Amino acid sequence: CSPDLCSDSPTADTFGLVGVDTGTAADGFVVSAGAAVRAEVTTTDGRTFPALLVGGDFWGWFTAGSHPTLVAYADDGSVVGRVRL
């Protein structure tokens, strides 16, 4: 894990601050959650995968070079925001 992605506190108070750590087969990410309570990685072909909410940040991974979108949701199901990874 690169030093800029690993920390003991959330990266920001609002949703959308992105860090991506590139790899050979998979890329990892951490995105500040803000008010969002869950998030999903949405691939360009429409598949979705859950992100993990840990300590105020969403963490996850995706196929290297695929550049999916992370969609974050509030407790009521409304969309808080989207970021391209």
Side-chain angles (χ1 to χ4, degrees):
C1 189
S2 63
D4 58 330
L5 290 180
C6 297
S7 77
D8 293 332
S9 60
T11 54
D13 291 335
T14 58
F15 171 74
L17 182 64
V18 178
V20 174
D21 196 14
T22 58
T24 305
D27 295 339
F29 68 86
V30 60
V31 175
S32 59
V37 297
R38 70 178 183 88
E40 296 175 332
V41 175
T42 303
T43 63
T44 55
D45 64 2
R47 294 178 296 153
T48 60
F49 303 93
L52 303 172
L53 178 59
V54 179
D57 293 321
F58 291 112
W59 293 76
W61 55 92
F62 54 91
T63 303
S66 65
H67 304 292
T69 300
L70 184 72
V71 182
Y73 300 91
D75 198 30
D76 65 3
S78 63
V79 174
V80 171
R82 302 171 194 271
V83 293
R84 187 157 187 250
L85 301 171

